[in-house]
């Protein structure tokens, strides 16, 4: 992964008031930065230190919330630095799951929304996906959809609002899709919109404001306080940092069929447990991705 | 028993001590914005100090009780009326079946806690009865209260009695201008020196976007960030970062223009640089600021932040001791 494999020798540590420690692994986004943060968060969780109340991994950073009456800020800082130093050059491994998420690209609902907010867009004469295809050097929208959906993505952060995943594509930096955010955020985004801003895709878990370019929608609920579907029974939020996602383009008829299943409460997702090795991935990204997709499809 | 909402007021919701533990999934702490007023209101009516109360903003609700109850109202200063007769703040009083409780606009402060003996008995979701509006769960049907809502009330404790109050010296002082102590950090080093100076020298005004998610401040000198080559994935504006977690109390400055302090319904992360964090001891002060109130940011270090935290804890211990009987 060329330049993306170079991380600062040591993370940057900074307190956020008397209850938070903010740790920036790297100023720029890369899979090694995400994996290093994830590995430290996992080790910190394993140690179950009294006074550590929340552990929040993010894309290339992580945030720890603590009770300074139960753990001194300096003690927590020293512990995290010690965990970081102890990671060494070890291969960063993750036990996770791979999930297929169907997407209706170029759907009518995000199209209606993007037309309503055209004056806030960089290129009012084309749609979001046409614009993204063009500035990323793809000959057509179909070629863009192929690039977006063929290689899998990492959930590198969950947040902003309840259950919203940020996703980072598992390809070389030169192949990564980059788009600016809207010039001014929209006041409306359809629920379950597939968005993209900077190098990150997301799924809007709830309807509301948003600044990412809109490419499509998924029929799959990913956040439901009522927990109606089987894969939301454990928790109202579906995604966790470290999940691997493969988008599957679907057509309108298939979308409607799946929505009917959602409404009937019978809808399920294709999910498979998988172990991920950063070292093996970096050595041969495309080959490793093919292995991951075989796990997803059970062959 | 139940409380009928006749008029909801401006922004009224059920809140308790909060919902820690799910920030990594984008679900914020929530809970009463002014936690000290929550504790006081509950202790006055004999509740556990983290029981669920009705939090109202700027203009309180009009409520009707279907059975006798004991209530106490803390926080902002507004005239409290029971069937039109003025009632005391910061003191428990009895209401009868059919009584109507109403409020004038808040004169000072921005949030009241209306506690009822027994607590507001909405379902516990992820360990809390607090409303989380963006996620549409918790509290009463996951939303602000509306006319016609009927709030269930739990069983009062043996300690519930009218006329309970504390010495006035223990009550918080409300003002139109506050000093908010800030621990500089996170991306503070990316500010130009001129902005480091002006940030702490200026008097900032609370803007109209001031809610449970965050408070936006205006009328200060726009902040300048150091120029740089944008890191991959961060975005072009010097105030942009690769999206990361936001601490409660952290101050972000999109485009350098207007600082936003995140509060208990915060978005859990995003792509704007934070220049520092309001210390935990001062978060309750933000809750009581009305639009157009003024704030100054005062730089402190960790030792001062921890001493302020200890002082706040000692103060709450004095409240507990005064109301233990």
């Amino acid at each position: 992964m060329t330049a993306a494999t170079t991380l600062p020798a040591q993370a940057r540590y900074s307190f956020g008031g008397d209850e938070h420690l903010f740790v920036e692994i790297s100023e720029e986004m890369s899979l090694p930065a995400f994996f290093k943060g994830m590995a430290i968060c996992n080790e910190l969780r394993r140690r179950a230190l009294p006074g550590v109340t929340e552990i929040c991994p993010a894309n290339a950073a992580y945030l720890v919330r603590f009770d300074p009456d139960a753990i001194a800020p300096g003690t927590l800082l020293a512990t995290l630095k010690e965990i970081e130093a102890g990671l060494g050059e070890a291969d960063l491994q993750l036990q996770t799951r791979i999930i297929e998420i169907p997407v209706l690209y170029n759907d009518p609902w995000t199209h209606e929304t993007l037309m309503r907010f055209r004056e806030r867009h960089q290129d009012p004469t084309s749609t979001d996906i046409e614009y993204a295809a063009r500035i990323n050097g793809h000959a057509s929208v179909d070629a863009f959809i192929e690039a977006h959906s063929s290689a899998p993505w990492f959930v590198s952060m969950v947040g902003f609002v309840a259950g919203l995943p940020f996703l980072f594509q598992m390809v070389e930096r030169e192949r990564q899709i980059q788009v600016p955010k809207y010039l001014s955020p929209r006041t409306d985004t359809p629920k379950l919109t597939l968005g993209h801003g900077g190098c990150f895709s997301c799924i809007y878990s709830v309807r509301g404001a948003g600044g990412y370019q809109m490419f499509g929608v998924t029929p799959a609920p990913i956040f439901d306080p009522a927990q109606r579907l089987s894969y939301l029974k454990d928790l109202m939020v579906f995604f966790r940092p470290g999940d691997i996602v493969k988008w599957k383009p679907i057509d309108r008829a298939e979308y409607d069929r799946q929505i009917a299943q959602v409404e009937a409460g019978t809808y399920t997702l294709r999910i498979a447990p998988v172990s991920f090795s950063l070292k093996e991935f970096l050595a041969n990204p495309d080959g490793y991705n093919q292995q991951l997709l075989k796990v997803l499809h059970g062959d | 028993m139940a409380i009928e909402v006749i008029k909801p007021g401006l922004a009224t919701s059920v809140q308790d001590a909060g919902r820690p533990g799910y920030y990594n999934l984008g679900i914020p702490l929530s809970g009463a914005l002014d936690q000290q007023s929550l504790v006081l209101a509950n202790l006055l009516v004999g509740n556990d100090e983290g029981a669920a109360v009705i939090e109202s903003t700027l203009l309180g609700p009009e409520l009707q009780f279907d059975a006798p109850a004991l209530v106490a109202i803390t926080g902002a200063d507004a005239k409290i009326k029971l069937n039109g007769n003025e009632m005391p703040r910061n003191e428990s009083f009895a209401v009868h079946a059919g009584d109507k409780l109403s409020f004038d606009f808040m004169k000072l402060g921005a949030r009241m806690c209306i506690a009822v003996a027994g607590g507001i008995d909405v379902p516990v979701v992820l360990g809390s009865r607090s409303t989380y509006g963006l996620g549409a769960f918790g509290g009463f049907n996951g939303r602000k209260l509306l006319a016609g809502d009927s709030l269930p009330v739990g069983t009062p404790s043996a300690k519930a009695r009218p006329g309970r109050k504390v010495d006035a010296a223990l009550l918080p002082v409300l003002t139109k201008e506050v000093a908010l102590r800030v621990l500089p950090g996170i991306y503070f080093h990316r500010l130009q020196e001129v902005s480091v100076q002006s940030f702490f020298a200026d008097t900032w005004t609370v803007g109209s976007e001031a809610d449970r998610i965050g408070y936006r401040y205006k009328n200060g000198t726009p902040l300048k960030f150091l120029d740089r080559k944008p890191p991959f994935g961060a975005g072009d504006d010097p105030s942009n970062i690769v999206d990361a977690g936001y601490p409660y109390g952290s101050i972000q400055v999109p485009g350098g223009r207007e600082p936003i302090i995140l509060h208990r319904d915060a978005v859990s992360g995003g792509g704007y640089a934070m220049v520092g964090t309001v210390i935990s001891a001062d978060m309750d002060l933000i809750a009581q600021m009305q639009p157009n109130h003024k704030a100054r940011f005062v730089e402190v270090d960790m030792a001062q932040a921890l001493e302020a935290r200890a002082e706040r804890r000692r103060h709450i211990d004095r409240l507990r001791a005064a109301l233990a009987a």
Side-chain angles (χ1 to χ4, degrees), chain B residues 12 63 86 110 116 132 142 145 168 171-172 201-202 206 214 229 234 247 287 297:
Chain B
T12 306
L63 305 171
E86 190 166 349
V116 184
Y132 170 42
L145 298 183
L171 297 173
D202 286 348
V206 177
K229 180 176 174 284
F297 298 123

Side-chain angles (χ1 to χ4, degrees), chain A residues 75-153:
Chain A
T75 304
L76 178 61
L77 178 63
T79 303
L80 292 180
K81 285 184 171 173
E82 179 233 313
I83 292 174
E84 185 191 6
L87 289 180
E89 294 298 308
D91 182 26
L92 297 172
Q93 293 258 4
L94 197 60
Q95 294 304 316
T96 186
R97 51 186 186 166
I98 183 166
I99 303 142
E100 185 173 82
I101 300 286
V103 180
L104 176 60
Y105 288 92
N106 259 328
D107 68 288
W109 305 282
T110 59
H111 183 80
E112 185 277 328
T113 308
L114 68 88
M115 294 310 286
R116 235 185 317 135
F117 291 98
R118 222 63 214 129
E119 80 288 354
R120 302 187 188 209
H121 197 272
Q122 289 80 0
D123 182 1
T125 62
S126 63
T127 66
D128 290 11
I129 200 167
E130 288 166 357
Y131 170 72
R134 192 178 71 245
I135 68 169
N136 283 280
H138 293 287
S140 67
V141 166
D142 284 347
F144 176 81
I145 291 171
E146 169 65 19
H148 190 270
S149 62
S150 56
W153 298 65

Side-chain angles (χ1 to χ4, degrees), chain A residues 12 14-20 22 24 27-29 54-55 59 67-69 158-160 162-163 166 176 178 223 235, chain B residues 20-26 132 135 183 185-187 189 231-232 242-243 245 247-248 267-269 277 280 302 309 313:
Chain A
R12 187 173 65 77
S14 182
F15 285 103
D18 49 317
E19 293 188 343
H20 303 86
F22 180 91
E24 180 191 76
E27 275 206 304
E28 60 177 25
M29 182 57 193
E54 309 242 12
I55 301 168
N59 299 308
D67 174 359
D69 302 329
V158 176
F160 182 63
F166 289 77
Q176 273 172 349
Q178 285 208 83
F223 166 70
L235 196 63
Chain B
Y22 302 94
Y23 207 43
N24 63 322
L25 300 174
Y132 170 42
L183 189 66
I186 310 188
Y187 290 95
H189 61 285
F232 178 79
V242 168
D243 295 55
Y248 300 108
V267 290
S268 71
T277 309
S280 62
M302 180 61 87
R309 180 186 183 86
R313 192 178 57 237

Side-chain angles (χ1 to χ4, degrees), chain A residues 201-277:
Chain A
S201 274
C202 81
I203 302 172
Y204 285 88
S205 53
V206 295
R207 184 176 178 179
Y212 278 18
Q213 308 280 337
M214 298 181 290
F215 297 160
V217 292
T218 175
I222 58 164
F223 166 70
D224 178 15
Q227 301 180 266
R228 277 173 286 247
L229 298 176
S230 60
Y231 62 84
L232 289 164
K233 287 286 182 234
D234 288 344
L235 196 63
M236 61 175 77
V237 165
F238 176 63
F239 282 112
R240 327 273 162 82
D243 281 340
I244 300 172
V245 169
K246 167 71 170 66
W247 308 114
K248 182 187 183 190
I250 56 172
D251 62 16
R252 178 63 191 268
E254 178 64 16
Y255 176 87
D256 289 343
R257 198 181 64 79
Q258 295 192 19
I259 285 290
Q261 291 176 346
V262 170
E263 282 162 8
T266 58
Y267 189 74
T268 56
L269 286 173
R270 183 185 283 273
I271 304 171
V274 70
S275 121
F276 180 85
S277 153

Side-chain angles (χ1 to χ4, degrees), chain B residues 175-184 199-206 215-217 249-251 259-263 276-289 293-300 305 308:
Chain B
T175 63
K176 291 184 176 175
E177 180 161 347
V178 299
L180 298 175
R181 288 168 288 189
V182 171
L183 189 66
F199 180 71
F200 290 114
D202 286 348
T203 297
W204 298 86
T205 305
V206 177
Y215 261 63
R216 188 185 283 256
Y217 292 81
S250 64
I251 306 167
I260 299 169
I261 305 176
L262 292 176
H263 219 301
T277 309
V278 175
I279 65 173
S280 62
D282 287 353
M283 292 297 284
D284 289 349
L285 298 177
I286 299 170
Q288 295 299 353
M289 299 185 78
H293 282 190
K294 309 278 193 249
R296 284 181 308 107
F297 298 123
V298 176
E299 181 175 357
V300 293

